[in-house]
Amino acid sequence: MSPASTEKFLLEQYAGHPASQLQDLRKALYQSVFGCEHLITDTSAAAEGIRREAAEAGPCSREIEALDGPWSRVQLGVLADGLTPETLACIFARSAAMPHGDADALQEKLTVLRRLTHSGALPYSPAEADAELADWQKNGFPACRHSEEYRAAYRPAYRVLHRTYVRLLPLLAAIDRALTEKPRVLLAIEGGAASGKSTLADLLTAIYPDTALFHADDFFLRPEQRTAARYAQPGGNLDRERLESEILAPISRNEVAIYRPFDCHTLSLREPVTILPGRLNIVEGSYSFHPELARYYDLSIFLDISPETQRSRILKRNGPEWGQQFFDRWVPLEQTYFHETDTQGRCTLALKEEIR
């Protein structure tokens, strides 16, 4: 983040929390650089701590407060939307393990804080602020608590999460609500090429260990199925009949799924794969939420992506030659399918900001 963004952040922090002492702004900058402040080794204990703190705090705000970096303070009021303490503890722990900044990055932000105190933009004694910041640096920038004034005024009850997980909160809450109501849940992840479907599926598999993951790419048409009549159908280039009979139907009955993934290099089917149903079952890929398959799913999400970002990612992932095939053939087929079946409109949720 730039010095200008840090200045804006600090001034907004004080304007929104005028009871803040200098240590509260120090804490905000520390979290902006280092995130969660410590590693979480026991997610069960972390979940119990979240549950206990939420109960003691009473009604909590649902506010999500972006910090001056890739982190946000997420108030425990988000639990009221259906997110479980266990899921929040998991993404809190995973956020804590994300790469973060260093002391030099913090020093750059503290330079802005010093300048604002010396200019009078923040109402702290310049001499006292300089001494406090110098002492903090001398001790190696240890994590600090909120001031008593801040605690009394705002009763903070939050966890610091990385933006990777903050953007997923509505989806995670929806999954948690569904898991409390059903013995197993089927989720479709739709979206254009390179929108982050596989990345999202991998994130969810890490958050929910009892997950069975399936890829729509394993069900592309075999050469003998590729007729003009079939391609004329919106979403016709997926063997949705096989996806239904080999994955969706058995998983919905809590039965083992046995299927043969399509190999795009040999244009044939590989050896059979056997996967047990999980509590959460994910099918990721374009056409996975086809209208003829939609009845099997409990939840669905559409990942939107701008044409510019999509083109850049496809070229980086596939190179110019293979990328051109996407632009000439597969992307137009996807767009026709999305438009004619109103895929985004039919999905439970849509995510505008691309997952990566």
Side-chain angles (χ1 to χ4, degrees), residues 334-343:
E334 286 181 349
Q335 291 302 316
T336 298
Y337 160 73
F338 295 151
H339 175 72
E340 295 196 12
T341 67
D342 187 25
T343 310

Side-chain angles (χ1 to χ4, degrees), residues 214-216 219 238-250 283 286-289 293 297:
F214 305 94
H215 306 282
F219 294 87
L238 182 77
D239 191 343
R240 60 183 179 273
E241 296 86 356
R242 194 164 67 87
L243 176 60
E244 178 180 13
S245 64
E246 297 181 2
I247 301 295
L248 297 177
V283 182
S286 299
Y287 317 111
S288 59
F289 196 55
L293 306 176
Y297 294 103

Side-chain angles (χ1 to χ4, degrees), residues 242-260:
R242 194 164 67 87
L243 176 60
E244 178 180 13
S245 64
E246 297 181 2
I247 301 295
L248 297 177
I251 290 296
S252 69
R253 297 191 298 263
N254 200 32
E255 297 173 359
V256 171
I258 303 174
Y259 67 101
R260 299 181 65 188

Side-chain angles (χ1 to χ4, degrees), residues 38-338:
H38 55 273
L39 291 177
I40 313 301
T41 57
D42 187 341
T43 54
S44 295
E48 184 54 36
I50 289 169
R51 185 177 286 106
R52 183 174 58 253
E53 185 177 343
E56 293 172 353
C60 295
S61 167
R62 287 178 166 85
E63 180 185 10
I64 297 175
E65 178 187 358
L67 296 168
D68 187 38
W71 314 89
S72 292
R73 291 171 173 172
V74 176
Q75 302 292 331
L76 297 188
V78 298
L79 297 175
D81 296 327
L83 191 75
T84 65
E86 287 73 20
T87 298
L88 180 54
C90 178
I91 59 177
F92 179 45
R94 293 183 64 81
S95 292
M98 297 287 280
H100 54 70
D102 54 23
D104 289 341
L106 180 58
Q107 283 278 31
E108 291 179 8
K109 295 183 185 299
L110 293 178
T111 298
V112 178
L113 178 56
R114 288 189 183 90
R115 176 163 51 79
L116 292 175
T117 60
H118 281 264
S119 70
L122 292 173
Y124 308 118
S125 161
E128 292 177 3
D130 286 347
E132 182 176 331
L133 294 176
D135 185 60
W136 194 33
Q137 179 181 0
K138 179 181 177 181
N139 288 301
F141 297 124
C144 53
R145 292 171 54 85
H146 279 298
S147 68
E148 293 304 319
E149 294 87 346
Y150 189 100
R151 290 179 175 276
Y154 310 116
R155 299 170 58 233
Y158 62 78
R159 293 296 183 271
V160 175
L161 302 182
H162 194 272
R163 62 187 173 201
T164 298
Y165 301 101
V166 170
R167 68 184 68 171
L168 299 183
L169 287 172
L171 173 61
L172 300 180
I175 292 173
D176 285 353
R177 289 194 302 268
L179 287 172
T180 63
E181 299 168 357
K182 299 173 179 289
R184 61 190 168 277
V185 172
L186 259 165
L187 166 68
I189 302 178
E190 274 273 14
S195 60
K197 300 181 294 296
S198 297
T199 301
L200 174 57
D202 289 342
L203 284 172
L204 293 176
T205 300
I207 295 169
Y208 299 98
D210 189 5
T211 296
L213 174 59
F214 305 94
H215 306 282
D217 287 1
D218 288 335
F219 294 87
F220 280 138
L221 297 178
R222 301 186 298 281
E224 64 271 20
Q225 297 173 298
R226 300 179 180 186
T227 65
R230 180 70 180 206
Y231 277 125
Q233 302 173 19
N237 52 315
L238 182 77
D239 191 343
R240 60 183 179 273
E241 296 86 356
R242 194 164 67 87
L243 176 60
E244 178 180 13
S245 64
E246 297 181 2
I247 301 295
L248 297 177
I251 290 296
S252 69
R253 297 191 298 263
N254 200 32
E255 297 173 359
V256 171
I258 303 174
Y259 67 101
R260 299 181 65 188
F262 176 76
D263 189 320
C264 63
H265 298 292
T266 63
L267 302 182
S268 62
L269 300 182
R270 298 198 294 270
E271 292 301 309
V273 174
T274 301
I275 297 184
L276 294 171
R279 286 210 66 212
L280 177 62
N281 302 275
I282 301 171
V283 182
E284 68 84 17
S286 299
Y287 317 111
S288 59
F289 196 55
H290 191 283
E292 294 182 10
L293 306 176
R295 68 185 184 278
Y296 288 99
Y297 294 103
D298 303 291
L299 296 169
S300 52
I301 184 166
F302 186 90
L303 303 185
D304 202 0
I305 185 170
S306 68
E308 296 78 17
T309 302
Q310 182 181 54
R311 184 175 186 85
S312 173
R313 287 184 179 176
I314 288 174
L315 288 173
K316 182 177 180 180
R317 182 186 69 185
N318 300 96
E321 183 177 350
W322 281 101
Q324 197 59 47
Q325 292 192 33
F326 273 87
F327 306 139
D328 293 342
R329 185 171 181 79
W330 305 120
V331 171
L333 284 172
E334 286 181 349
Q335 291 302 316
T336 298
Y337 160 73
F338 295 151

